[in-house]
Amino acid sequence: QTQSPKKQWSLQDFEIGKPLGKGKFGRVYLAREAKSKYIVALKVIFKEQLEKYKIQHQLKREMEIQSGLRHPNILRLYGWFHDSERIFLILEYAHGGELYRELRKRGFLSENKAATYILSLAQALAFCHEKDVIHRDIKPENLLLDHEGRLKIADFGWSVQSRAKRRTMCGTLDYLAPEMVENKAHDYAVDNWTLGILCYEFLYGVPPFEAENQTDTFRRIMNVDLSFPSTPCVSTEAKDLILRLLVKDSSKRLSLQKIMEHPWIVKNADPTS
Ligand SMILES: COc1ccc(C(=O)Nc2ccccc2)cc1NC(=O)CCSc1ncnc(N)c1Br
């Protein structure tokens, strides 16, 4: 047949290295494929965890989605295998680690880096939306950097293949769009809102609606209670893009295509990454 038969991987094929972090439902380790010496990230998920949260089907669907999603700004899933109690995901290793760490280390990013990351995200999301995939969990912890500093969207723990569905609230609320906070039906535009949140956070070091508690964060999101600090100094064009994304009416948010053509992006983003 035309397709080379899928190689059946097993744990014996890999030398396990240091822990890289804790993803959803499991730990991730640096690993090296014994024959090729190829470095990967190996994610270990316990089957009883999947049974407990009844998301076996979600992982299965995820694997189908992932094998079709090939984009320079989306972390690759090379394959998977399982033993009696665990499922192993063979992932691309992002040598630059979590974008989050870079943001925390520097406090805030240059307009060039911020614009480059927003452009990469818009391109990756446009690609996903063509494939009818909404990621819906775009936040700094799920963004990784490769050895060239190129952004990679990672953990697809909550992506869905079809039209938008209800999502259980989990993790921080800072990135949730008003329609999600109101638990209304939502569509792809949630990702555009999140790009606005991320653009603000890249440039100021904190998400725009941060508050002491969830109730205040909810209220600030619902009122789109947005203000720009006087420092760090941020260009008017950058603020213009943020203001065109953090719009309550999802139909009025700047489209991914318009983001890619926005003057601030055209002027500041490095198109090659
Ligand atoms: C394509 O990337 C994924 C695809 C799928 C899933 C996943 O768990 N899906 C899932 C799990 C349970 C139920 C339903 C879906 C997770 C990831 N990715 C990750 O977990 C990121 C691991 S951290 C890391 N990875 C590489 N290099 C680094 N330097 C680091 Br740190």
Side-chain angles (χ1 to χ4, degrees), residues 6-105:
K6 277 260 172 254
K7 163 121 180 77
Q8 288 307 316
W9 294 107
S10 81
L11 205 46
Q12 281 62 43
D13 294 316
F14 298 92
E15 291 146 4
I16 309 297
K18 66 175 181 175
L20 287 175
K22 270 161 37 65
K24 276 191 184 57
F25 305 104
R27 289 180 176 285
V28 186
Y29 298 87
L30 192 59
R32 189 168 68 176
E33 200 280 314
K35 288 194 192 59
S36 64
K37 302 287 177 228
Y38 195 78
I39 298 287
V40 294
L42 203 60
K43 180 161 187 180
V44 185
I45 302 171
F46 285 92
K47 288 180 179 175
E48 43 114 21
Q49 284 282 317
L50 290 182
E51 276 130 35
K52 182 175 155 202
Y53 293 97
K54 298 192 184 14
I55 49 164
Q56 301 89 318
H57 63 282
Q58 180 146 341
L59 180 59
K60 196 171 142 318
R61 184 172 51 214
E62 161 99 22
M63 298 303 112
E64 285 146 20
I65 296 175
Q66 286 285 333
S67 39
L69 277 189
R70 299 216 179 167
H71 186 275
N73 298 113
I74 295 179
L75 198 76
R76 282 290 311 283
L77 174 80
Y78 296 127
W80 61 90
F81 57 93
H82 64 98
D83 63 14
S84 52
E85 73 269 9
R86 293 166 297 184
I87 293 173
F88 299 86
L89 308 186
I90 309 168
L91 302 169
E92 173 184 359
Y93 172 55
H95 293 68
E98 294 175 354
L99 196 158
Y100 202 63
R101 284 190 202 289
E102 188 198 354
L103 187 56
R104 290 289 166 271
K105 190 170 68 186

